[in-house]
Each structure stands twice: as structure tokens, then as C-alpha cells.
Amino acid sequence: MTQQQAFTLPPGAPSIDEMIAAERRRARKRLWTALAFMAPAILFVTVFLLLPVVFNVYASLTQWAKFSGFDQFAGLANYQRLASNPKFFDATINTMIWVAVSFVLPATIGLSLAMLVRGVPGEETFKSIFFLPRMFSATAVGVVWYYVYATEGIVNAGLRAVGLGDLASRWLYESHLATPAMIVTHIWQQVGLMMVLLLIGLNALPSEPMEAAKVDGASRGQVFRHIVLPLLMPTLIMVTTVSVLAGFTSFDLVWVMGRDFPNRSTLTLSVNQYWESFRAGSWAYGAAIAVVLGIIAMSISWSLGALQHRLDKR
């Protein structure tokens, strides 16, 4: 049999060109079908995410104040105002404190609690108890803790009851106490979520490496440091990302508990943006604060994502 006879198509069969054309039609059909299913999500992201971002960036480059000046281009004037405004730097410092503390303490306490309740009788009950504060909105939590920290609130009453009345203070109205007091409230609400996420990560770890290390004589601390932590690192990075974004976007809790503080020295960037936009009426200036806040948050999230990708490759 010659090579030409080996590749001869049977009578009535479509030609090679016809089969290629049919496959292209099927590929186009699959593409349009996929786009039809993706269209609602693409439309939603475009209308409610991309367009507002573009609009906000443009607004930050105008003189928009209340209902005038949107068509007047201002260049980088609003960003220059940011650079020379001490309120912006105070808000940035407070935000960084929120981001750092709202990750380190909830993650540390959550990991400790996860290690304590893991495998003990009533583990599900402990998870429910610690997770319960996360079920309430931050606004409701802020209102309750606002009265907890009041002059005649539970904290001061408790201090007086145990003979430590000298430590009683106006917690939300002292410059060195207001932010720590609000962070304690934030930790109280977030630590249960951190514990549950880390407990899920711990339960998903393989037991063979830890058992082998114990057989070789490794202590519990060595097992935790050299085996548990490296294996738990992807979960820790995910928890870090959640905590960092929560710290950057902390608004309702800070607004409810700290809006009355004199001179607004406890406010974060998100609260400062709201204040400048809707209280002072400087909408373009508030848009500039939002742009800076978004750039910082995306940079940190991108760095954490790159770290996660690097760990996955390893």
C-alpha cells in the first residue's frame, strides 16, 4: 500500500478542510456559550467595580466639591494637598497600626486557641462560642463596646470593684487610649474567625510528618516550629490577607466608637475619606484619599499573593 493510498478518505467522508471548518465552528460555539455564561459576572464587575474605580480616579483629578467643579481639571492638586495635610498622615499611621495589630494579635491568639481546642472534647462547641462575636455587625459591636468603655461602663465599674479605680479612664477620649481600646474591640470580634480558619488548616495537615518527628525524639515546640508552621504557611498567608484587608477597610467600628474624639486624631484612612467627602464636602479630595488607600491595599495584597505563589511552587 502506497502512502497516498494510506491517507485516502473513504467515499462520502468530509474533506480535511471541511473537518477543520467544522471544528472551528464548534470552537466558536463553545466560546460564545462560555461568554454567555460569563456575561452576567463580567457586567457586574464592570458596572460595580471597574467603572467606579475609573470614575473615582478621574474625580480625584478634578475640583469636585459638593455639586460643582467636576468638569474643572485640577491635576495633582488634591494629591499635593494630601502630602501637606497632617490629618492625612495621622490617619495613615492609625491605619497602619490597625493593619499590623489586627493581623498579629488575632492571628496569634487565634492560632493559640486553635492549638488548644484541636481534638479536645467539645471542639465544635468551643468553635461556636469563639466565632459568635463575628456573627454581629461591626456597627452593633461598636455601639455595645462604646458603652462598655463609657465613664460609668463595665470596664471602669469592674476596675473599681476590684480596687483599681485609679486605672478608670475616659477610654475613648484619651489620645493614648482610644485607638488601643478600639483595637481590643476589633480583636474580640475577629479572633473567632481567625481561630476557625486556622483550625481548619491544622486539621488538614498530614499527620505522618508529625508522628515521625515525635518518634525521632522531637519536642512539641520543635514539631510546631519545623513542621506545623511550614505546612500551615498557606493558611497563615490567607488569614494575613483577610486581616490586612479588614484593617484597611475598617470604617463602621471606628466611626461608631471614635467619631466623637476631639480633633479626629484616631480616625483611619477610610473614615478620614468619609469625613472629607461627606462632612467637609471635598469630594475630589476624598476621592484622592480613596485612590491612595486602594494603591496601598492592592500593593500589600499583591505582595502576599506573590508570596503565596512562591510557597505553592516550593
Side-chain angles (χ1 to χ4, degrees):
M1 181 181 296
T2 63
Q3 185 175 6
Q4 183 177 4
Q5 291 174 333
F7 290 97
T8 300
L9 295 173
S15 65
I16 299 295
D17 293 337
E18 290 174 340
M19 288 189 291
I20 293 175
E23 180 60 31
R24 288 177 177 173
R25 287 193 297 269
R26 286 192 291 269
R28 286 195 296 268
K29 184 178 179 180
R30 289 194 295 268
L31 175 61
W32 284 109
T33 302
L35 289 176
F37 280 103
M38 293 168 58
I42 294 174
L43 180 63
F44 183 86
V45 171
T46 301
V47 173
F48 294 102
L49 180 63
L50 297 181
L51 290 181
V53 169
V54 174
F55 176 84
N56 189 83
V57 173
Y58 174 77
S60 70
L61 302 175
T62 66
Q63 300 179 17
W64 198 21
K66 293 189 177 179
F67 297 99
S68 63
F70 184 72
D71 56 344
Q72 300 174 14
F73 189 72
L76 300 177
N78 291 309
Y79 296 95
Q80 293 172 352
R81 179 182 171 188
L82 283 178
S84 60
N85 190 348
K87 295 292 184 188
F88 173 76
F89 288 101
D90 291 340
T92 302
I93 292 173
N94 287 333
T95 301
M96 293 305 175
I97 293 174
W98 268 90
V99 170
V101 177
S102 64
F103 157 64
V104 175
L105 292 182
T108 303
I109 298 173
L111 181 58
S112 301
L113 292 174
M115 295 292 292
L116 287 175
V117 305
R118 182 189 181 195
V120 302
E123 176 182 337
E124 296 299 323
T125 303
F126 285 115
K127 287 167 59 177
S128 301
I129 292 174
F130 284 108
F131 190 78
L132 185 62
R134 192 65 178 82
M135 302 298 293
F136 303 106
S137 68
T139 302
V141 171
V143 170
V144 171
W145 278 80
Y146 182 86
Y147 291 103
V148 168
Y149 285 123
T151 305
E152 300 300 327
I154 296 175
V155 174
N156 288 338
L159 290 174
R160 296 188 186 100
V162 297
L164 298 176
D166 293 339
L167 298 179
S169 180
R170 300 170 69 246
W171 298 96
L172 297 178
Y173 292 91
E174 300 289 342
S175 59
H176 63 290
L177 295 176
T179 297
M182 289 186 287
I183 289 176
V184 168
T185 305
H186 178 75
I187 293 172
W188 176 82
Q189 187 184 25
Q190 294 293 327
V191 69
L193 175 62
M194 301 297 107
M195 185 199 75
V196 171
L197 293 176
L198 292 170
L199 193 56
I200 293 173
L202 286 171
N203 291 332
L205 297 182
S207 59
E208 293 80 4
M210 290 177 277
E211 294 174 355
K214 292 178 182 178
V215 171
D216 291 340
S219 64
R220 295 183 62 180
Q222 290 173 329
V223 172
F224 178 77
R225 187 175 65 177
H226 297 290
I227 297 178
V228 174
L229 272 183
L231 293 176
L232 196 62
M233 193 57 64
T235 304
L236 284 173
I237 293 177
M238 183 269 293
V239 169
T240 302
T241 304
V242 172
S243 300
V244 166
L245 293 179
F248 273 114
T249 57
S250 56
F251 171 81
D252 35 14
L253 184 67
V254 183
W255 178 255
V256 171
M257 297 183 68
R259 68 181 184 275
D260 294 333
F261 189 83
N263 211 21
R264 295 182 287 137
S265 60
T266 62
L267 304 187
T268 59
L269 281 175
S270 58
V271 180
N272 191 38
Q273 173 203 346
Y274 176 83
W275 190 285
E276 295 292 347
S277 298
F278 299 102
R279 288 297 183 93
S282 300
W283 292 349
Y285 182 63
I289 297 176
V291 170
V292 173
L293 178 59
I295 291 174
I296 297 174
M298 285 191 297
S299 299
I300 296 179
S301 299
W302 180 87
S303 301
L304 292 172
L307 179 60
Q308 176 71 67
H309 179 69
R310 183 176 179 181
L311 291 175
D312 292 340
K313 291 179 63 177
R314 293 173 58 185

